[in-house]
Amino acid sequence: MVRLSDLHPEEAEHMLQRAEGLRRREFDFDATSWITPAPLAESTIALITTAALHRRDDIPFRFADTGFRQIPDDIDRNDLVQSHISVNFDRTHYQRDLNVVLPLDRMHELADAGEIDGVSPMHFSILGATDAFMLEPSAAEMAERMHNLGVNTALLVPV
């Protein structure tokens, strides 16, 4: 993990300002009833990665991108590209093992072992460096798509 003291002074100041803004923000959530989720053995799971992964022919993620990209479960791994670029972000882990940022193999192992009911035919990717509040419309659309796919559990894979 990079330390503020390791960053360029302007980047460090930017990060401190963002953190201060989050501390000052008031959160107002509608009251929502708690639910009891299905047991994992009865759950179909979709992955949501913040690694800005996308297919080669998709539009790359750009700075402050609030959209999402869909990743088919059966995608050829060589067709995936990561367009998250930052001096603070090391992409070598993804290049060595996709499961670090999108654990498709681990999900299928769990399904094969009967630990989960199944793996979604579609997964989702967002640019994690985007202000989370700006992602609300995309989150609602991803939730609707997952619902339509019969997904009842989503696993957020933060990078």
Side-chain angles (χ1 to χ4, degrees):
M1 184 65 134
V2 71
R3 297 178 188 278
L4 284 174
S5 60
D6 296 334
L7 297 175
H8 185 279
E10 289 179 15
E11 179 67 14
E13 181 60 29
H14 170 76
M15 297 298 249
L16 286 170
Q17 288 175 0
R18 290 197 66 178
E20 183 60 30
L22 288 174
R23 279 194 287 270
R24 290 183 183 167
R25 190 173 283 175
E26 290 187 27
F27 300 98
D28 184 24
F29 297 106
D30 294 332
T32 304
S33 300
W34 286 98
I35 62 163
T36 301
L40 286 176
E42 299 172 15
S43 297
T44 299
I45 299 178
L47 299 171
I48 304 171
T49 180
T50 65
L53 294 177
H54 57 86
R55 293 177 281 192
R56 287 192 190 280
D57 59 351
D58 285 343
I59 297 170
F61 285 93
R62 302 283 188 230
F63 179 75
D65 195 321
T66 61
F68 65 91
R69 310 294 184 271
Q70 296 186 103
I71 300 173
D73 184 65
D74 61 355
I75 192 165
D76 178 346
R77 308 298 172 85
N78 293 319
D79 192 32
L80 279 174
V81 177
Q82 186 177 42
S83 58
H84 181 97
I85 299 171
S86 170
V87 297
N88 306 320
F89 186 66
D90 180 4
R91 297 191 297 175
T92 56
H93 60 283
Y94 155 68
Q95 295 163 342
R96 290 185 184 144
D97 184 3
L98 173 66
N99 289 286
V100 172
V101 296
L102 189 70
L104 293 171
D105 294 335
R106 303 298 81 83
M107 289 295 103
H108 285 280
E109 290 168 2
L110 290 170
D112 292 345
E115 298 291 327
I116 62 173
D117 186 44
V119 180
S120 174
M122 193 65 66
H123 305 283
F124 302 88
S125 180
I126 60 173
L127 176 63
T130 303
D131 188 342
F133 298 97
M134 302 300 292
L135 293 168
E136 188 173 346
S138 287
E141 187 174 343
M142 285 187 289
E144 182 177 347
R145 290 182 188 206
M146 285 185 272
H147 175 78
N148 292 340
L149 290 167
V151 170
N152 59 359
T153 305
L155 176 63
L156 178 63
V157 185
V159 177

